[in-house]
Amino acid sequence: MSQFPITDKTEITRLPKRGVYDKDVVYSILDEGLFCTLAYARDGQAFQIPTGFCRIGDKLYLHGSVGSFYMRELAEKKPPVSIGVTFIDGLVLARSAFHHSVNYRSVVIFSTPEKVDDADELYKALEVFTNKMQPGRWDDVRKPNSGEWKATMLLSFKIDEASAKVRTGGPKDDEEDYALDIWAGVVPLEIQRKPPIADDVLKAGVALPDYLK
């Protein structure tokens, strides 16, 4: 079992039994997530950016416009960043208000940005990102032209310092509260793909592709 090293930034100190450092668990959460939040500080002011991402091996990739201020700043200054991904899997309803909780899976990464200039790496990352958003999509769409490639910036983040935190199961009440006439349990939550809705100006005769059925 391969694990990330526990550092002063990644160590889970609050409810440490929920901390997970196994790479397979961390990567599975990252691969399921469709967006992350990137945080960094500029001139003493904290900023956070919600954005899509993908993972290839031990790197996380973000892409955006070459005109994006924060993308240019990250590429040029390479500040330390923190990247978070979270799933809320259920509402945990206890018998007491104090013990209500949520079931969740979360990952926090500490890294620094690197601008990707290699054309093959850029192409591969955008292919993986597109297919992560919708499996099968990359082979079905027009690929970026030279102008669109030039307008796109790709940043990579080495996943060296990371940890996950996970809660599962039902509520944990005080022993005396289990006798109360109050319902307790879990309300499951999940992200669900709904049936596709065609573009209003979709060309007549274009069928729904099999990967969307």
Side-chain angles (χ1 to χ4, degrees):
M1 181 181 295
S2 180
Q3 294 201 337
F4 288 103
I6 300 175
T7 71
D8 58 343
K9 295 194 290 290
T10 63
E11 183 177 10
I12 306 299
T13 57
R14 171 63 180 160
L15 298 175
K17 66 181 180 181
R18 297 182 185 174
V20 180
Y21 306 93
D22 177 61
K23 287 187 176 181
D24 288 341
V25 173
V26 170
Y27 288 164
S28 71
I29 295 172
L30 294 177
D31 292 345
E32 186 178 346
L34 295 179
F35 71 95
C36 66
T37 300
L38 178 146
Y40 70 105
R42 175 165 57 90
D43 299 329
Q45 172 62 57
F47 286 86
Q48 62 174 357
I49 310 294
T51 183
F53 74 99
C54 69
R55 179 189 69 88
I56 302 176
D58 63 354
K59 290 184 179 180
L60 186 145
Y61 291 90
L62 307 180
H63 78 282
S65 168
V66 296
S68 166
F69 176 81
Y70 93 89
M71 291 287 288
R72 294 200 314 270
E73 184 171 56
L74 292 177
E76 294 168 4
K77 298 182 179 180
K78 299 182 180 182
V81 303
S82 177
I83 300 171
V85 175
T86 301
F87 287 95
I88 301 298
D89 295 320
L91 305 177
V92 181
L93 308 183
R95 293 160 185 82
S96 70
F98 182 80
H99 288 299
H100 279 61
S101 187
V102 294
N103 284 337
Y104 60 88
R105 291 166 292 143
S106 63
V107 166
V108 174
I109 298 168
F110 297 91
S111 188
T112 55
E114 292 288 341
K115 184 174 179 290
V116 176
D117 293 314
D118 180 78
D120 291 338
E121 188 175 1
L122 173 63
Y123 189 96
K124 182 62 177 179
L126 293 184
E127 177 184 359
V128 171
F129 174 82
T130 302
N131 282 331
K132 181 182 183 180
M133 294 296 112
Q134 177 54 61
R137 189 64 175 168
W138 184 256
D139 290 338
D140 195 30
V141 296
R142 176 183 69 78
K143 305 307 183 288
N145 58 38
S146 59
E148 291 167 337
W149 282 118
K150 291 178 182 177
T152 302
M153 183 186 296
L154 182 70
L155 299 175
S156 71
F157 302 82
K158 193 76 178 295
I159 308 174
D160 284 332
E161 281 191 279
S163 61
K165 194 173 183 181
V166 178
R167 187 201 191 279
T168 61
K172 302 293 189 292
D173 273 302
D174 295 333
E175 192 61 37
E176 61 270 22
D177 287 340
Y178 285 103
L180 296 174
D181 294 327
I182 299 171
W183 188 91
V186 176
V187 179
L189 301 175
E190 64 179 8
I191 297 173
Q192 185 179 40
R193 291 182 187 264
K194 297 287 189 176
I197 301 172
D199 185 7
D200 290 340
V201 294
L202 183 67
K203 181 181 176 181
V206 176
L208 185 72
D210 289 340
Y211 59 80
L212 288 175
K213 294 179 181 178

